[in-house]
Amino acid sequence: MNSDANWFAQAQQFQQGLTSQWGQALQAFQRAGGEAGAVPHLQFDPGKLQALQQDYVREATEIWNQALTGGFHPADKRFASEAWSRNPMAAFSAAVYLLNARTLMGLADAADADPKTKARLRFGVEQWLAASAPSNFLALNADAQQKAIETQGESIARGMQNLLSDIRQGHVSMTDESAFEVGRNVATTEGAVVFENELFQLIEYKPLTAKVHERPFLVIPPCINKFYILDLQPDNSLIRYLVEQGHRTFVVSWRNPDESLAQKTWDDYIGDAAIKAIGVVQEISGAKQINALGFCVGGTILGTALAVLAARGEKPVASATFLTTFLDFSDTGVLDIFVDEPMVKFREMQLGQGGLMKGQDLASTFSFLRPNDLVWNYVVGNYLKGETPPPFDLLYWNSDSTNLPGPMYTWYLRNTYLENNLVKPGHCTVCGEKVDLSSVDIPVFIYGSREDHIVPIGGAYASVKHLPGKKRFVMGASGHIAGVINPPSKNKRSYWTNDKLPATFDAWQKGATEHAGSWWPDWAAWLKAHAGKQIPAPKSYGKGTKYKAIEAAPGRYVKDKA
């Protein structure tokens, strides 16, 4: 009876303190706005504030009434198990947390501030809310407590072991990393390294058809991650799909930079990597022109390289494919909140003359864009419940981070995210040439993912304004990775097409037609028209003694850890 009385007293105290709590929350918000010179003091829309306060009191009263009847069942997946609903104190803490979360996000939306300040405020509130959820603490997590009782404390012991293991490896485990090995059960498409320099290895893949198209195909993946996202398993490998379509396929495998590459610049990645790879593929194949694909940052690198080549009067690429790529950085979505002049200047002072942007720092940034799914979900599972996350090849790749050379990274930050210079004709000088994307007059296929939080769909579509050649834009369902890696054999999701390319993405979407399944066959049909006639497939890798097989794919560069 004493415990019940204590519980009711605590709940009643919560109800009686609603007004004072609301005022304290508002004052804290206003103080936060003035810290670190961000903005003087946050101001709020009075009408929105009044509505928020009324909603808060009404919902808090509902929580109180539900607590008295024991009828509260949180819908949030973090609190959805029976252990939460059976424990009145746990259910109550979850309900109060969710109410406060909704209210704080409402306060962020009600702030009278410019869009970037408001976006930063929302992001900060989201991070704090994700970190402070009662599910993240053993003392409050009813599910973890029940598991500890059922396993007689073994789950807690395993959780401590998992924590120590993750501390040693330097990141939170998202999957059972011991289940995968690059070259053994991921990145297994057969091929050979036929060229390498200090920045990349060039892999040529073994043909799977008797004949191949006369124009070979070069893939430039992002240097922020490793190429084998395009070759996880045989049934979802974009690289294997290209080979099966009769394309003589080459892929850039970036080196994971160490201190020996700490001085490398954006010019080096364009001239000594992208342009060099294009030239080597031409030499090996004997083709006057090739086709090329750039994915994410790889697309930005490819676009820059094509502009440099065009400035030199060269046109070695017949057609280009850009997958979830920024060329125009005017709409960068949530990543915009991290980038401003002080931040870029700090990075330039720190890394502009040399050094490494650590891969784990980049990986953490991207993970915290979705903190509940990619951070705290694993903190709870690994440490509070003592679970080993199941094997998942995509999450293994996601954890296999890469470094970036400081000078290259800081040039990229300033000239893309901060100043958007690539779309200003002649504003950037790269490899001694003025960059003008309007000189890249070739057919292009541009793909964007509808729910992409890294390259928002509007940002992907913006490329159509700057490339003068014949263009096709296709939108796929899902996000940055899952939208791209959507093989036809899975018969999943859908994609949208529209042969007209109006000025804005919204106008394009209004006229778009939805198609079931993968966008790959649509792209394959487009690519076939630019691939040239069929010729006998090569019998060996490379060409002569200059470009002979160095080692089997996937090579050794991709195996280097950050």
Side-chain angles (χ1 to χ4, degrees):
M1 290 295 293
N2 288 338
S3 61
D4 288 343
N6 187 44
W7 148 248
F8 285 124
Q10 290 176 356
Q12 191 170 20
Q13 186 178 5
F14 161 78
Q15 184 189 32
Q16 292 170 347
L18 286 178
T19 303
S20 62
Q21 289 170 11
W22 172 266
Q24 290 168 5
L26 184 57
Q27 290 172 11
F29 240 75
Q30 291 173 324
R31 286 196 302 271
E35 288 175 359
V39 288
H41 275 283
L42 284 176
Q43 301 297 318
F44 296 89
D45 182 293
K48 290 182 179 179
L49 271 185
Q50 185 177 10
L52 273 174
Q53 187 170 14
Q54 290 172 349
D55 289 344
Y56 186 84
V57 172
R58 175 181 53 79
E59 291 184 46
T61 303
E62 291 174 1
I63 291 172
W64 162 249
N65 292 332
Q66 288 174 328
L68 290 176
T69 60
F72 186 78
H73 301 280
D76 190 292
K77 66 180 182 180
R78 291 171 292 180
F79 316 114
S81 73
E82 289 187 10
W84 285 91
S85 58
R86 286 200 306 262
N87 185 324
M89 198 62 192
F92 184 75
S93 69
V96 172
Y97 163 78
L98 292 172
L99 171 59
N100 288 336
R102 289 191 297 271
T103 303
L104 287 172
M105 292 306 298
L107 275 173
D109 289 334
D112 184 11
D114 63 89
K116 188 159 187 170
T117 298
K118 186 174 285 192
R120 284 178 163 173
L121 185 60
R122 282 185 59 87
F123 183 79
V125 172
E126 285 172 348
Q127 297 303 315
W128 184 82
L129 290 172
S132 62
S135 52
N136 297 340
F137 303 93
L138 184 59
L140 300 174
N141 190 319
D143 210 13
Q145 293 169 6
Q146 179 176 303
K147 187 155 191 175
I149 294 170
E150 291 173 350
T151 62
Q152 296 182 330
E154 186 179 343
S155 63
I156 296 176
R158 287 198 303 264
M160 291 301 297
Q161 292 171 351
N162 291 341
L163 175 60
L164 292 173
S165 176
D166 284 355
I167 289 173
R168 284 193 294 268
Q169 72 179 7
H171 63 266
V172 178
S173 294
M174 297 182 179
T175 184
D176 182 3
E177 297 181 22
S178 65
F180 299 101
E181 181 183 347
V182 175
R184 179 177 63 84
N185 56 3
V186 291
T188 59
T189 299
E190 189 173 355
V193 175
V194 293
F195 172 83
E196 66 180 44
N197 63 18
E198 60 182 347
L199 287 176
F200 75 100
Q201 289 187 314
L202 184 68
I203 301 171
E204 179 180 3
Y205 286 90
K206 182 180 179 179
L208 296 174
T209 53
K211 292 186 175 182
V212 296
H213 293 284
E214 64 177 340
R215 285 179 181 153
F217 197 85
L218 172 65
V219 176
I220 301 180
C223 53
I224 290 178
N225 296 104
K226 296 185 176 179
F227 82 88
Y228 65 89
I229 185 59
L230 302 173
D231 190 31
L232 285 175
Q233 301 296 331
D235 64 351
N236 67 1
S237 170
L238 184 65
I239 291 171
R240 185 178 179 86
Y241 182 78
L242 279 165
V243 176
E244 290 172 341
Q245 300 301 307
H247 298 284
R248 189 176 182 184
T249 303
F250 297 80
V251 174
V252 168
S253 174
W254 297 103
R255 184 174 169 193
N256 200 342
D258 57 19
E259 291 297 335
S260 68
L261 300 183
Q263 305 296 324
K264 293 299 180 182
T265 65
W266 184 258
D267 281 25
D268 294 323
Y269 272 68
I270 302 303
D272 295 340
I275 292 175
K276 182 64 177 179
I278 291 169
V280 171
V281 172
Q282 285 181 288
E283 287 188 49
I284 290 175
S285 65
K288 291 183 179 180
Q289 286 187 308
I290 72 171
N291 293 311
L293 176 151
F295 178 21
C296 190
V297 180
T300 310
I301 290 172
L302 174 61
T304 307
L306 293 177
V308 169
L309 290 166
R312 296 173 178 172
E314 302 175 28
K315 198 173 181 179
V317 176
S319 77
T321 298
F322 295 99
L323 305 182
T324 58
T325 291
F326 280 133
L327 295 177
D328 184 334
F329 286 74
S330 56
D331 175 16
T332 56
V334 68
L335 291 176
D336 180 62
I337 66 173
F338 297 108
V339 182
D340 57 17
E341 183 67 30
M343 176 270 190
V344 173
K345 278 186 175 178
F346 170 74
R347 287 300 190 186
E348 288 172 337
M349 292 172 57
Q350 181 187 42
L351 299 170
Q353 301 305 311
L356 293 175
M357 180 63 191
K358 295 296 186 180
Q360 190 52 51
D361 292 342
L362 289 168
S364 295
T365 298
F366 287 114
S367 291
F368 276 101
L369 297 180
R370 294 167 55 197
N372 286 325
D373 293 331
L374 296 179
V375 180
W376 299 106
N377 174 50
Y378 298 102
V379 168
V380 172
N382 296 1
Y383 311 147
L384 302 192
K385 298 182 183 179
E387 298 170 346
T388 299
F392 189 10
D393 51 11
L394 191 149
L395 289 177
Y396 173 78
W397 166 83
N398 190 63
S399 299
D400 194 3
S401 59
T402 56
N403 302 321
L404 289 177
M408 175 267 193
Y409 172 68
T410 54
W411 190 99
Y412 175 67
L413 272 183
R414 176 167 292 281
N415 287 281
T416 59
Y417 281 94
L418 182 64
E419 298 181 357
N420 197 21
N421 289 330
L422 290 179
V423 296
K424 301 172 184 175
H427 196 89
C428 289
T429 299
V430 179
C431 298
E433 306 292 347
K434 296 290 186 180
V435 173
D436 183 356
L437 291 175
S438 67
S439 65
V440 183
D441 191 6
I442 60 174
V444 294
F445 184 102
I446 302 170
Y447 168 85
S449 290
R450 186 178 57 179
E451 288 90 29
D452 196 336
H453 63 291
I454 295 174
V455 180
I457 186 65
Y461 184 80
S463 296
V464 305
K465 297 185 294 186
H466 307 287
L467 300 171
K470 190 172 182 179
K471 298 174 282 285
R472 181 166 182 77
F473 182 83
V474 171
M475 177 177 73
S478 198
H480 190 68
I481 298 299
V484 171
I485 308 304
N486 185 30
S489 60
K490 303 290 188 181
N491 196 28
K492 293 172 64 177
R493 305 188 184 99
S494 56
Y495 67 99
W496 290 259
T497 61
N498 183 353
D499 292 336
K500 296 180 180 180
L501 296 173
T504 66
F505 166 73
D506 288 340
W508 179 91
Q509 188 176 26
K510 286 179 182 177
T513 302
E514 183 175 1
H515 312 271
S518 170
W519 61 271
W520 290 12
D522 184 278
W523 171 56
W526 179 89
L527 185 58
K528 185 178 180 180
H530 301 286
K533 65 183 180 182
Q534 297 268 304
I535 60 174
K539 303 295 185 183
S540 59
Y541 299 114
K543 185 177 183 180
T545 57
K546 185 177 181 181
Y547 297 112
K548 58 184 180 180
I550 297 171
E551 60 183 332
R556 65 188 187 282
Y557 281 13
V558 73
K559 298 178 182 179
D560 290 340
K561 298 293 184 180

